[in-house]
Amino acid sequence: MALDINSIELGTRLPDVVRNVNQDVIDRFAVGSFDYNPIHLNPEWKKRMNLPGGGSTIAHGQMTMSFMASVLTDWACPAGGMVSRIDAKYIKPVLPGDVITSGGVVTEKHFHGPGKDFVTVEIFAQNQNGEKVAVGEADVILP
């Protein structure tokens, strides 16, 4: 796939990535990230603490960011691009049973020469109700 800064237009929408979140996915992310905080793993503890998201556990914020990062890497890496920066803000907890759709839109183009050209992409993740759970911005270096 040919992907270079000249072939990308502002407003280009990157293909969405959809992920189903359940407690098994959260548990596996805990193992992979070494983040065993009970807010992610223990619904009884979470109920006692009266934290956001009601009585269930909540997914790791870094899991949500990884979903948004997949949008970028699935789009750019096969063509030789790479992600150089990601910033994210978490807005709403991701709960077991949520279906998270992540996407992005190219908002800026930066011309710095071969191997240094990059685009800025606004990224987001939303649940099955269309509620944003995270937003952010990333820079992607294009070949």
Side-chain angles (χ1 to χ4, degrees), residues 31-86:
V31 172
S33 66
F34 298 105
D35 182 349
Y36 299 103
N37 187 317
I39 197 168
H40 307 303
L41 303 173
N42 186 334
E44 293 307 316
W45 179 89
K46 180 146 176 308
K47 283 180 196 172
R48 287 193 311 272
M49 296 299 116
N50 193 27
L51 296 168
S56 74
T57 60
I58 63 172
H60 302 74
Q62 291 300 310
M63 178 191 295
T64 305
M65 188 185 314
S66 74
F67 296 163
M68 294 188 296
S70 292
V71 171
L72 304 167
T73 58
D74 289 358
W75 175 67
C77 291
M82 65 181 221
V83 178
S84 63
R85 177 184 69 89
I86 299 179

Side-chain angles (χ1 to χ4, degrees), residues 36-137:
Y36 299 103
N37 187 317
I39 197 168
H40 307 303
L41 303 173
N42 186 334
E44 293 307 316
W45 179 89
K46 180 146 176 308
K47 283 180 196 172
R48 287 193 311 272
M49 296 299 116
N50 193 27
L51 296 168
S56 74
T57 60
I58 63 172
H60 302 74
Q62 291 300 310
M63 178 191 295
T64 305
M65 188 185 314
S66 74
F67 296 163
M68 294 188 296
S70 292
V71 171
L72 304 167
T73 58
D74 289 358
W75 175 67
C77 291
M82 65 181 221
V83 178
S84 63
R85 177 184 69 89
I86 299 179
D87 290 319
K89 176 181 177 180
Y90 308 107
I91 300 170
K92 186 174 178 66
V94 174
L95 308 174
D98 279 349
V99 177
I100 302 301
T101 300
S102 301
V105 176
V106 175
T107 58
E108 299 174 20
K109 293 169 67 168
H110 300 271
F111 297 89
H112 295 284
K116 297 178 185 176
D117 293 337
F118 69 93
V119 294
T120 299
V121 180
E122 285 186 10
I123 52 177
F124 69 88
Q126 65 186 31
N127 64 21
Q128 66 281 355
N129 301 319
E131 301 167 314
K132 292 271 186 350
V133 297
V135 294
E137 187 178 83

